[in-house]
Amino acid sequence: MDRMSSLRLFLLPLVCLSLGWPIPMGSLSAQDTAPAQAPVAPSADGSTPPPAAAPMEAAPAAPDAAAPAAVPAPVPDVAPAPSADEAVARAVPVAPVAPVAKTKFPLPARDPAIQEGDYIGHRYAEPNDSGGWGWIKLPTDSWAKGGRWIALEETPGVASAPWRDMGPNPTRTGDQNYEYKMHGYFATYQVYDPHTNEMLDVFILESYETIGPAQPLSIRSGPEDRHGDLRRSGFSSRPRADDY
């Protein structure tokens, strides 16, 4: 290294420090910063040996193989915090509500001498909207000889007229000409039908079983004593069940 280079290396840091500048390392040349080589002594035969090979710079390390992308850890599902009402509902157990039982009414009292039994009933609703339900008879009787025109007495919660159980929108004539197995008994009293000005026998229904649709009967509707003195003007003749 010559004297000028040595002087520059000495003065440049002092100037930078006095002015508050950073020392510019890049201004130094590779020749200035390279270490001085020791003089080569001549060999015995007077020839100068070749200069020593400069040290090899280390090759830059090869970059590592591309590392796999980091997979984010799964985030566990966190249930939302319950509301105040839900927290109270969970903290305070609620007793189950017992189902409300349907009110059942007792059957009308009957005379011990009157025995209940099984009958066959044929539904027929008269077109004049009378209070009669239809005919009823013993299973061994015929309709012509044993058929009895009745008013049906229902007991809420125990037994009701069969047409009330026919679907969500039942109608009073929905079971016209249906036949049923009916269990019950005859009352000791009669009821007055203001539509026909007649007294009707009463059958107290306890249970029934549907037989199904049947052919219209060829017997006259109404009680046995239906006649001109008891009929309204609209009842000019006694209608037959198969006329409608």
Side-chain angles (χ1 to χ4, degrees), residues 22-150:
I23 300 174
M25 300 299 294
S27 61
L28 300 178
S29 63
Q31 182 180 359
D32 297 336
T33 58
Q37 297 182 356
V40 179
S43 59
D45 57 0
S47 62
T48 303
M56 298 181 61
E57 296 181 358
D64 296 338
V71 178
V75 180
D77 295 336
V78 179
S83 62
D85 295 339
E86 293 178 348
V88 173
R90 294 178 184 177
V92 181
V94 179
V97 179
V100 179
K102 293 184 178 179
T103 303
K104 290 190 176 182
F105 299 88
L107 288 168
R110 62 181 175 87
D111 190 333
I114 300 176
Q115 298 295 322
E116 59 186 23
D118 296 323
Y119 297 84
I120 302 297
H122 186 104
R123 170 67 168 144
Y124 179 72
E126 291 186 296
N128 54 20
D129 197 24
S130 69
W133 178 85
W135 296 276
I136 194 170
K137 71 178 183 69
L138 291 172
T140 55
D141 290 343
S142 65
W143 290 111
K145 293 183 179 180
R148 190 171 175 181
W149 185 258
I150 62 158

Side-chain angles (χ1 to χ4, degrees), residues 14-228:
L14 295 178
V15 173
C16 290
L17 290 175
S18 62
L19 297 178
W21 294 348
I23 300 174
M25 300 299 294
S27 61
L28 300 178
S29 63
Q31 182 180 359
D32 297 336
T33 58
Q37 297 182 356
V40 179
S43 59
D45 57 0
S47 62
T48 303
M56 298 181 61
E57 296 181 358
D64 296 338
V71 178
V75 180
D77 295 336
V78 179
S83 62
D85 295 339
E86 293 178 348
V88 173
R90 294 178 184 177
V92 181
V94 179
V97 179
V100 179
K102 293 184 178 179
T103 303
K104 290 190 176 182
F105 299 88
L107 288 168
R110 62 181 175 87
D111 190 333
I114 300 176
Q115 298 295 322
E116 59 186 23
D118 296 323
Y119 297 84
I120 302 297
H122 186 104
R123 170 67 168 144
Y124 179 72
E126 291 186 296
N128 54 20
D129 197 24
S130 69
W133 178 85
W135 296 276
I136 194 170
K137 71 178 183 69
L138 291 172
T140 55
D141 290 343
S142 65
W143 290 111
K145 293 183 179 180
R148 190 171 175 181
W149 185 258
I150 62 158
L152 189 68
E153 182 170 330
E154 306 173 77
T155 304
V158 178
S160 58
W163 68 265
R164 301 186 188 276
D165 300 329
M166 300 187 69
N169 300 308
T171 59
R172 186 174 177 272
T173 58
D175 62 342
Q176 184 80 318
N177 289 311
Y178 269 61
E179 290 191 353
Y180 303 92
K181 295 179 181 180
M182 307 177 75
H183 185 82
Y185 57 94
F186 282 95
T188 56
Y189 51 84
Q190 293 182 313
V191 295
Y192 174 70
D193 182 3
H195 299 278
T196 59
N197 192 29
E198 293 172 338
M199 300 298 295
L200 304 179
D201 293 336
V202 177
F203 183 79
I204 300 176
L205 180 66
E206 292 184 332
S207 63
Y208 74 91
E209 178 183 343
T210 303
I211 298 175
Q215 293 295 326
L217 299 180
S218 58
I219 59 177
R220 297 179 182 273
S221 62
E224 292 294 332
D225 58 355
R226 177 179 285 181
H227 51 80

